Amino acid sequence: MMIMSEQPGQIALLGGSVDRVTQPLLDLSLWDPVQQPVLLLNLPADEQDRVLHVVRCDPSRYLYPVFCVLQSPLSPMLADGLLPQLDERVPDMLERLALLTPREHPDDMEKLAWYSWPRAHFRLLPRWQAGCRQGYSYPLLDCLLGADAGASLPQLVSERLLQSEQLVDRVRLCNSCNSAHLNFVDVCPECSHIAIQAKPAVHCFTCGHVDDQDAFMQQGILRCPKCVTTLRHIGVDYDRPLEKYRCLSCHARFMEAAVQARCHECGHAHKPDDLVVSPIYEYRIGKLARHIAREGTHQLHLPLTWGAPMVMDHFPWLLQWNNSLLQRHGGSHTLLAIRVEHLAELRAELGLLKTQQRLAALLARLQALFRDTDVVCQYSDDQLLLLLPHTSVEDWQVLQGRILALNNVEGLDALTLNVKAEPLPTVLGDDTGLWLSHWLDGSIPDA
Ligand SMILES: [Zn+2]
Ligand SMILES: [Zn+2]
Ligand SMILES: [Zn+2]
């Protein structure tokens, strides 16, 4: 392991001098990580946060270790620690950073993977900001992924680039505009007016009259304004109704006020139960991020299936067995192949994360077209096989129409589907695997 104090050239320093060997810089533009891979900041809080933000947004320098002498609001999210942690963390980080093979124009997944994997201490931390519409943001994600960061988070978690760890907070958001800027007000349950008042009331036992206590008060004693009975003993002459609130607008009496959440951004009023509840987590590195950091994303498999897909090894056997059953006992099943056209090109153009987002939307719609009893299997990166039991020619023609209709759905238009069907039973020959590949590449004519 390297001992930092023996490597004086490693640390560039921005700001006031510190009690260790460093290379002082006049300003950030002079920091060359090839010369000094570690940046140490000893700046006033505002200035330090600005520098941290600039470094993590900089495509050529965002991966390098940055430490701070003093904490600033953004340092827990964007720096790698404080000065006392530098010696412990840096050697391991530099060793791992050297193992990465970053390429130009990385996609979002790669950036996050390359950043998180070399940092054993990595945590993605949320930050509450009054100016932020949803209340919390993830400053590091904003730096690495830019404007799409917030929208990408659920996807990054479901793809296991990030793994939720500690629950930090639970926020309620407006269900019209997703704003966290809400005002909760007590209102009249009858007319929703905000002018309500807690007023003690009296219920006369003699005539049943109910009114504000003020209306019963006459020269210091309680007297019913309706039947003029003097009310001396609570429980005997009168009692107090549970409805202790009164609406000053519609004069209704009620026990408990209703609560309304009014959005400061869009003005909509909601019942608290209708608000979107959003848990805010701290995240750590997920399994896929480790994989991407070491292997890259080019080999990454795009999952095209849903539910509990059958592994490809078993599919030819199942096909063969079903075909034999049908030949012997009658009935008709359908073999269906769906190919997603130009998936590789799309992936090169949009990056893996966005391609996965589009695919996920497509698969959700596809899944809705099939039954639980249909067998689904991913044949290749861009091809799905389905075995649909008990389907007639008309059934699958309808289905084929519905699948092809997805090509015209807004937002999915970059993905084009191609459908091929084969009614079963058919003549499969001795090698079902071979038959499948011939059928898929078109060397056996379509049914
Ligand atoms: Zn009375
Ligand atoms: Zn009212
Ligand atoms: Zn709103």
Side-chain angles (χ1 to χ4, degrees), residues 135-359:
Y136 283 95
S137 67
Y138 290 85
L140 180 72
L141 223 47
D142 292 341
C143 289
L144 298 185
L145 312 191
D148 295 343
S152 302
L153 189 57
Q155 179 82 7
L156 294 169
V157 175
S158 72
E159 299 293 342
R160 300 198 191 177
L161 261 94
L162 294 169
Q163 193 180 333
S164 59
E165 195 163 65
Q166 191 147 341
L167 182 64
V168 175
D169 204 350
R170 200 177 283 117
V171 289
R172 287 184 161 69
L173 306 175
C174 167
N175 67 13
S176 309
C177 75
N178 268 349
S179 166
H181 300 155
L182 302 168
N183 187 37
F184 292 85
V185 278
D186 294 341
V187 295
C188 166
E190 301 291 329
C191 74
S192 298
H193 201 278
I194 59 165
I196 57 171
Q197 213 174 26
K199 271 204 160 181
V202 168
H203 168 221
C204 166
F205 283 174
T206 311
C207 73
H209 184 59
V210 176
D211 206 340
D212 291 345
Q213 184 172 298
D214 301 349
F216 283 81
M217 231 10 148
Q218 285 176 23
Q219 286 132 24
I221 51 169
L222 286 173
R223 180 167 294 149
C224 177
K226 211 169 166 199
C227 68
V228 210
T229 309
T230 301
L231 310 176
R232 295 183 202 282
H233 303 291
I234 189 160
V236 178
D237 302 326
Y238 71 100
D239 66 2
R240 296 195 180 278
L242 292 169
E243 290 80 7
K244 61 178 180 194
Y245 293 99
R246 175 150 206 173
C247 173
L248 301 181
S249 175
C250 74
H251 305 293
R253 291 190 162 280
F254 47 92
M255 278 160 62
E256 258 180 273
V259 177
Q260 216 176 52
R262 239 177 297 150
C263 174
H264 284 309
E265 302 269 351
C266 74
H268 275 93
H270 309 277
K271 283 190 232 158
D273 285 350
D274 294 340
L275 295 173
V276 177
V277 180
S278 167
I280 305 295
Y281 288 98
E282 210 179 285
Y283 295 93
R284 64 185 167 93
I285 183 172
K287 212 164 137 190
L288 185 65
R290 285 194 199 95
H291 178 85
I292 292 175
R294 282 171 302 176
E295 318 280 340
T297 55
H298 53 285
Q299 286 298 326
L300 212 63
H301 189 59
L302 282 167
L304 269 189
T305 52
W306 54 83
M310 166 162 276
V311 290
M312 191 49 218
D313 292 351
H314 298 164
F315 195 82
W317 179 89
L318 182 80
L319 181 59
Q320 165 75 54
W321 183 65
N322 270 273
N323 202 53
S324 308
L325 278 180
L326 295 169
Q327 279 166 337
R328 176 168 299 204
H329 302 290
S332 57
H333 296 185
T334 307
L335 174 67
L336 205 65
I338 304 175
R339 181 194 284 277
V340 185
E341 302 283 347
H342 315 299
L343 193 56
E345 289 94 322
L346 188 72
R347 182 175 164 164
E349 190 190 320
L350 295 179
L352 191 61
L353 188 66
K354 289 208 179 73
T355 308
Q356 281 180 331
Q357 280 166 356
R358 302 267 173 101
L359 266 185

